[in-house]
Amino acid sequence: MTYTGQCSCGAVMIAIEGEPVTTRQCWCRQCQKIAAGGATNNAIFPLEAITIEGERAQSRYVAASGATLTHEFCLACGTHVLAHSSARPLLRTIRLGLLDEGHGLAPAAAIWTSEAPAWAVVDPALEQWPQQPPPPSHPTPP
Ligand SMILES: [Zn+2]
Ligand SMILES: [Zn+2]
């Protein structure tokens, strides 16, 4: 499967070959900052599957785990593109909103539900983790 997408202004374009390692909805406080108070919805892909063009800005913070998280967003329109963790350098967390309509991906799990606002409705059909779940398995480096 090939997934394609772009930011809201079209300056950043992405193409992804293959299927995600996992899909997740994240309710952590940092994601609420990005997602206007709600959760982010994400698909995690191997770095090697992703081709990306266009100028991005980055912001970084140190997570509770001690890993550094880097967020990338379009320099022109601010659309969030992806995130990655220093603990998992071969994976990229792609924001589902970036992908073109019809991608068919949906979260398989909700994580950091302990930080969700009181009004949040978390789909009971999803696997749920109050905090960070164990890391997804990923391809071994070449
Ligand atoms: Zn843009
Ligand atoms: Zn989060």
Side-chain angles (χ1 to χ4, degrees):
M1 176 93 187
T2 302
Y3 298 97
T4 56
Q6 59 180 4
C7 65
S8 129
C9 77
V12 174
M13 309 215 5
I14 194 167
I16 305 167
E17 286 288 342
E19 293 303 318
V21 176
T22 189
T23 54
R24 288 171 176 174
Q25 178 177 80
C26 183
W27 287 95
C28 82
R29 288 289 306 156
Q30 290 288 344
C31 282
Q32 291 179 45
K33 302 277 186 208
I34 303 167
T40 58
N41 295 288
N42 307 292
I44 300 174
F45 286 94
L47 172 62
E48 64 197 9
I50 300 168
T51 306
I52 188 161
E53 290 173 19
E55 210 173 353
R56 283 100 68 201
Q58 293 190 335
S59 67
R60 291 188 179 81
Y61 68 94
V62 178
S65 64
T68 298
L69 293 189
T70 303
H71 289 183
E72 291 191 4
F73 46 95
C74 173
L75 197 55
C77 73
T79 299
H80 263 259
V81 174
L82 59 78
H84 56 97
S85 169
S86 60
R88 292 180 287 283
L90 297 180
L91 296 176
R92 292 293 179 273
T93 298
I94 303 295
R95 310 303 183 190
L96 289 188
L98 188 71
L99 300 180
D100 291 332
E101 206 175 345
H103 57 74
L105 297 173
I111 68 172
W112 286 100
T113 56
S114 63
E115 296 195 350
W119 49 260
V121 179
V122 180
D123 184 347
L126 298 181
E127 186 184 344
Q128 294 189 22
W129 298 85
Q131 294 189 326
Q132 189 69 28
S137 57
H138 56 77
T140 46

